[in-house]
Amino acid sequence: LIQAQRDAAWSEVARRLAHEIKNPLTPIRLSAERIRLKCMDGLSRPQQETLERATRTIVEQVEAMKSMVNAFSDYARPVQIQPVPVDLNRLIHDVVELYRGRQNPVRILLNLDPLLQPINADPGRLRQVLHNLLLNANDALAATVDPLLRINTRHGEIEGRRFVELETHDNGPGFAPSVLDHLFEPYVTTKEKGTGLGLAIVKKIVEEHSGSLWATNPTEGGALLVIRLPMDAVFTQTQSHGNSLARERSA
């Protein structure tokens, strides 16, 4: 109940921040672009370069704020699960391919269970989970020599309940001890420019699928994150943090 109350409160904070920040962003960008367009011709070359740098900085920072607003919106968004049978291994392959290549120095090794059966899940939401995990790993491995990320899947059963596990394990510095116990809470981050919403959104989506997740720093080093999803998750009605909290209170 306490956790549900915290989630509801953070969701409301995220919703309000997204609303308040989003409104002025487009006028700011358009104004900067208009200033550059209208004033450039009447300036000397050094002045043009100064104006170009200044307006480019404004536009770039607006885009950075838009990314932050999108993260706020994702966290505050009501649950809208559209479950279908999902081949998790194929989904992982599809997303990982986007991160391979010269632009990404991180080596990604896949060890996917060939016997993994489709799970009942929302592929769009799981794709968002994978993107967040890969982006977090890339950031965490930025200063690591020969950065490596291993992604594993496996299936299992406990007390007659079948599940699949998705595991990511990198060879970076691991999770900071100061945040490990609060890793999945909103706005907890050690990144200089991070919003602290990436793993909070991952946790929200996993819980929407009746799953669980945990993270640790293994003895062999790096950071390990495990997501466990039931094979036959049952989804009820569309709900928000607040609606979920209301049902818990009534229970």
Side-chain angles (χ1 to χ4, degrees):
L1 178 58
I2 292 173
Q3 186 61 50
Q5 290 173 333
R6 289 169 63 87
D7 289 345
W10 279 121
S11 181
E12 180 63 16
V13 169
R15 186 189 66 78
R16 293 191 180 188
L17 282 173
H19 177 74
E20 294 299 330
I21 295 173
K22 191 173 185 178
N23 288 338
L25 292 184
T26 299
I28 290 172
R29 174 169 184 164
L30 291 176
S31 296
E33 292 174 342
R34 183 176 293 272
I35 290 172
R36 179 171 55 191
L37 180 65
K38 293 292 185 180
C39 300
M40 190 69 77
D41 292 340
L43 300 176
S44 65
R45 184 60 179 271
Q47 290 173 328
Q48 287 180 344
E49 292 176 354
T50 299
L51 179 62
E52 172 65 26
R53 285 196 302 270
T55 53
R56 185 174 64 248
T57 298
I58 293 172
V59 171
E60 289 174 351
Q61 293 305 309
V62 165
E63 289 304 307
M65 293 183 71
K66 278 188 176 180
S67 297
M68 180 174 63
V69 168
N70 289 337
F72 288 151
S73 298
D74 286 340
Y75 185 74
R77 180 192 304 169
V79 179
Q80 295 179 337
I81 296 295
Q82 297 179 352
V84 295
V86 175
D87 184 336
L88 184 59
N89 287 347
R90 175 174 292 182
L91 186 64
I92 292 171
H93 270 294
D94 290 345
V95 174
V96 166
E97 282 305 311
L98 300 175
Y99 290 82
R100 295 192 191 275
R102 296 180 181 178
Q103 298 296 329
N104 184 11
V106 178
R107 288 190 300 127
I108 303 177
L109 299 182
L110 302 181
N111 180 25
L112 308 182
D113 185 346
L115 301 180
L116 208 66
Q117 297 180 5
I119 61 173
N120 192 32
D122 186 318
R125 300 291 273 168
L126 290 189
R127 187 180 294 270
Q128 188 176 3
V129 166
L130 291 169
H131 279 299
N132 282 351
L133 294 179
L134 287 165
L135 288 172
N136 274 5
N138 282 352
D139 290 342
L141 295 171
T144 300
V145 177
D146 190 20
L148 172 66
L149 175 65
R150 299 179 185 273
I151 301 179
N152 310 317
T153 59
R154 65 174 64 89
H155 70 282
E157 182 174 332
I158 297 178
E159 297 179 351
R161 296 182 178 181
R162 298 182 304 153
F163 62 85
V164 300
E165 284 186 352
L166 164 64
E167 179 182 282
T168 63
H169 185 190
D170 65 46
N171 64 338
F175 298 111
S178 60
V179 303
L180 189 55
D181 291 340
H182 307 282
L183 196 62
F184 301 109
E185 294 182 8
Y187 314 114
V188 174
T189 182
T190 57
K191 301 176 187 176
E192 184 177 346
K193 297 183 179 180
T195 63
L197 286 172
L199 289 181
I201 292 171
V202 168
K203 175 177 178 288
K204 181 174 182 282
I205 294 173
V206 170
E207 290 180 345
E208 289 170 1
H209 287 78
S210 302
S212 58
L213 75 169
W214 59 92
T216 185
N217 292 326
T219 54
E220 63 269 28
L224 173 67
L225 190 146
V226 183
I227 294 174
R228 178 177 292 177
L229 298 171
M231 291 286 295
D232 304 305
V234 178
F235 305 95
T236 54
Q237 59 186 0
T238 299
Q239 57 180 320
S240 65
H241 278 314
N243 290 336
S244 176
L245 176 59
R247 276 204 301 278
E248 291 199 37
R249 284 175 173 166
S250 64

